[in-house]
Amino acid sequence: MARIAVIGAGMGALTAAARLAVAGHRVAVYERTDTYGGALRRFERDGFSFDTGPALLPLPAVYRDLFVKTGKEPLESCVELVQVDPSSRHVFADGTEVSLPNASRAGVVTALDEGLGAGAGKRWGDFLVRAREAWDRTRRPLLEEPLWPNWQVLAEREPYPSVPHKRLLRTRRAGTLAEIGAWELRDPRLTALLESHALGHGLDPRVAPASAAVLPYMEHAFGTWYVRGGLRELARAVYERCLARKVEFHFGADVTGVLEKDGRASGVELADGSHVEADFVVAGVAPCTLARLTAGTVVRGDGEVPPQPAAAARLTLLLALHGARPEGTAHRTVVHTRDREAELDALFGTAAGNPRPTVTVLRPDDPRLAPADHEAVTLTTVVPARLDQPHDDLVDDMISVAERAVPGLRDRLLWHEVRTPADIADATGAEGGAVPVPALAAAGGRMLHPSNSTRVPGLFTVGGWTHPGGGLPHAGMSGALVAGLIVEGPEFRGSQ
């Protein structure tokens, strides 16, 4: 039985802790804040309750597997999972609207044909077939296996089978998500639908590799799910599973350093000066924190994946509305910007100006979230990291955009709360409140994440800033990979 110190209580760290504990190890978690869950936090006021981080769960199979592997009680016995249908409603720049059914390719094709015109559904359906091929080629190496030592194979090979496109007497293939939209979908609304999946993860579709096609594919293939009571309930369930497996938790315990002895990790140092000995250390922290804890010894170098592009962040508005949620309201509506290029320039370039953004409107059908005859609504948009205090006009713009999805929104508004990237930074330790992106193939390795193993023997990293990247499913997968590497050793090659 090994002693294992886990730094942080985010979802990746919690899943690793539960798996290591059930394997017979003595696991202790040290979390600098007063609670668990990382970005999965909850805000409550006047009987209203809101998720302040992720609010929908793709690929619930990752957490079903966690609960099966760590005990007899399945996930559905601990939380109530609800499949969201429609998966999403989209309001496009020209006023066209379409609602897409959950986990039904045929239903999506039909909805697009009816909403956008004959042929739109077929083009999107054909795209999903190609996206599935990219998924099949990358699923194991990017999600289920430790990062390959020869990761350059993943960096150089574009798995998306682009359609040949003749342009200026040359035959070209799409290398970015934006080129897929322009050359293969050939409809600005389908392009907006495609690019919204990248933008939702903080990616610029103009430079995101074509392999990012797996993002919409995952949603269409495996569905979108909601946890009754909010996704904070998922964090609670995983935390309680850890407690049931005798994981120790120390909240308000700020780790200030990773100890080393004889060239390997030997424990952690706490802010009060005390030392905790351990045979392994699992760090579920952002890169800036890891560099501080290890005095810069765990840094990318020759032969390791290149630095990732700067990540974006999210601005969230929590709206308390009087009046009940109308029957038949979509859980999630994406209201697309009227000027996508200007929006992308403002987010990822140096262009001045503040175009009205793409806004995601979340309206859960969940009576636990608001008093009777009231509604809790959440608005999110992508913003540059380090946006500490949003301009009032951005908040106002988000509400104005959301009115395209929620008629009479301002008249119903009782109060609102703003959650900035600074709040994300406080909760997760991520510099500037940046949100990590999922690992993707191609792009020269820019979209890959560092291996879960580090240069320091006995020290492992877990969570969104390490392989396989950001997102709730990816966090759970990183926990499984770290547990496998510790339990089985370097020869571990992932689930079979």
Side-chain angles (χ1 to χ4, degrees):
M1 178 177 69
R3 299 164 300 174
I4 300 175
V6 179
I7 307 172
M11 294 301 287
L14 291 180
T15 57
R19 289 177 180 273
L20 289 166
V22 83
H25 298 296
R26 179 180 174 183
V27 183
V29 176
Y30 299 88
E31 165 59 43
R32 66 179 179 83
T33 71
D34 61 357
T35 189
Y36 54 84
L40 287 183
R41 300 297 177 96
R42 175 182 287 155
F43 176 81
E44 296 178 330
R45 172 181 164 186
D46 300 340
F48 291 86
S49 181
F50 303 86
D51 281 323
T52 59
L56 292 171
L57 177 65
L59 270 179
V62 172
Y63 289 91
R64 290 189 177 115
D65 179 75
L66 170 70
F67 276 73
V68 168
K69 298 291 176 58
T70 58
K72 298 180 180 179
E73 196 175 21
L75 175 62
E76 279 82 355
S77 295
C78 302
V79 298
E80 183 181 353
L81 285 177
V82 181
Q83 196 169 24
V84 176
D85 203 4
S87 174
S88 59
R89 171 183 169 227
H90 291 264
V91 180
F92 296 105
D94 65 354
T96 306
E97 298 185 15
V98 65
S99 292
L100 304 180
N102 202 337
S104 171
R105 178 176 175 273
V108 167
V109 168
T110 299
L112 290 173
D113 274 339
E114 293 176 351
L116 306 186
K122 183 179 187 306
R123 289 196 297 278
W124 185 260
D126 290 344
F127 157 74
L128 289 179
V129 171
R130 296 188 290 274
R132 176 179 179 174
E133 189 168 337
W135 166 261
D136 290 339
R137 291 174 177 176
T138 60
R139 175 179 57 87
R140 282 198 61 80
L142 286 187
L143 299 180
E144 299 176 0
E145 300 176 348
L147 185 66
W148 292 352
N150 61 333
W151 57 266
Q152 292 88 347
V153 175
L154 298 172
E156 298 166 358
R157 183 180 302 168
E158 174 53 70
Y160 178 79
S162 302
V163 176
H165 171 73
K166 288 191 175 182
R167 184 181 185 190
L168 299 177
L169 302 180
R170 295 176 58 192
T171 298
R172 302 182 61 184
R173 293 179 180 270
T176 66
L177 210 61
E179 289 173 341
I180 291 176
W183 300 350
E184 299 179 11
L185 298 179
R186 305 187 309 280
D187 183 313
R189 297 163 299 182
L190 290 180
T191 297
L193 173 61
L194 172 66
E195 293 184 350
S196 68
H197 288 273
L199 187 61
H201 285 89
L203 292 169
D204 183 348
R206 301 171 300 184
V207 298
S211 63
V214 300
L215 300 176
Y217 171 77
M218 288 171 61
E219 180 171 310
H220 286 303
F222 305 113
T224 303
W225 300 77
Y226 172 70
V227 178
R228 189 74 69 188
L231 251 69
R232 176 66 179 176
E233 289 298 295
L234 177 65
R236 175 198 55 76
V238 177
Y239 169 67
E240 291 180 353
R241 176 55 53 92
C242 287
L243 292 177
R245 297 298 166 263
K246 309 303 181 185
V247 175
E248 298 177 12
F249 283 86
H250 304 271
F251 295 106
D254 190 8
V255 174
T256 56
V258 174
L259 304 175
E260 293 185 36
K261 182 178 181 181
D262 298 328
R264 65 172 288 119
S266 61
V268 297
E269 180 180 24
L270 303 179
D272 62 6
S274 62
H275 290 184
V276 178
E277 294 184 353
D279 301 297
F280 297 93
V281 176
V282 176
V285 297
C288 58
T289 303
L290 183 61
R292 174 174 57 82
L293 297 181
T294 61
T297 59
V298 183
V299 181
R300 295 186 182 94
D302 293 341
E304 297 182 2
V305 296
Q308 294 178 316
R314 297 189 183 101
L315 182 68
T316 302
L317 300 187
L318 314 176
L319 310 181
L321 307 184
H322 67 77
R325 176 182 185 271
E327 186 175 352
T329 296
H331 185 120
R332 174 178 56 172
T333 299
V334 180
V335 185
H336 295 266
T337 181
R338 298 185 189 276
D339 192 340
R340 175 58 55 82
E341 197 67 24
E343 177 184 39
L344 296 178
D345 282 341
L347 286 173
F348 303 105
T350 57
N354 297 294
R356 285 193 170 179
T358 296
V359 175
T360 298
V361 183
L362 298 172
R363 307 178 71 183
D365 183 12
D366 190 344
R368 302 184 196 181
L369 304 185
D373 296 322
H374 291 74
E375 184 180 6
V377 174
T378 302
L379 311 182
T380 62
T381 194
V382 177
V383 296
R386 298 182 177 85
L387 178 68
D388 295 332
Q389 295 297 329
H391 299 293
D392 290 341
D393 57 354
L394 176 55
V395 172
D396 189 67
D397 280 348
M398 289 179 67
I399 294 174
S400 295
V401 170
E403 284 189 298
R404 296 173 62 196
V406 189
L409 172 60
R410 290 185 187 275
D411 293 336
R412 297 178 56 197
L413 184 61
L414 296 173
W415 50 262
H416 75 270
E417 290 280 343
V418 181
R419 286 294 175 268
T420 70
D423 297 310
I424 299 175
D426 287 341
T428 67
E431 188 174 6
V435 178
V437 301
L440 297 171
R446 290 182 296 106
M447 307 309 298
L448 297 177
H449 292 256
S451 171
N452 306 102
S453 303
T454 72
R455 293 180 180 182
V456 180
L459 173 62
F460 297 84
T461 56
V462 73
W465 295 103
T466 191
H467 181 73
L472 275 177
H474 300 73
M477 293 170 188
S478 76
L481 292 174
V482 167
L485 288 167
I486 291 176
V487 173
E488 298 187 25
E491 67 277 5
F492 174 68
R493 291 296 177 266
S495 59
Q496 302 298 321

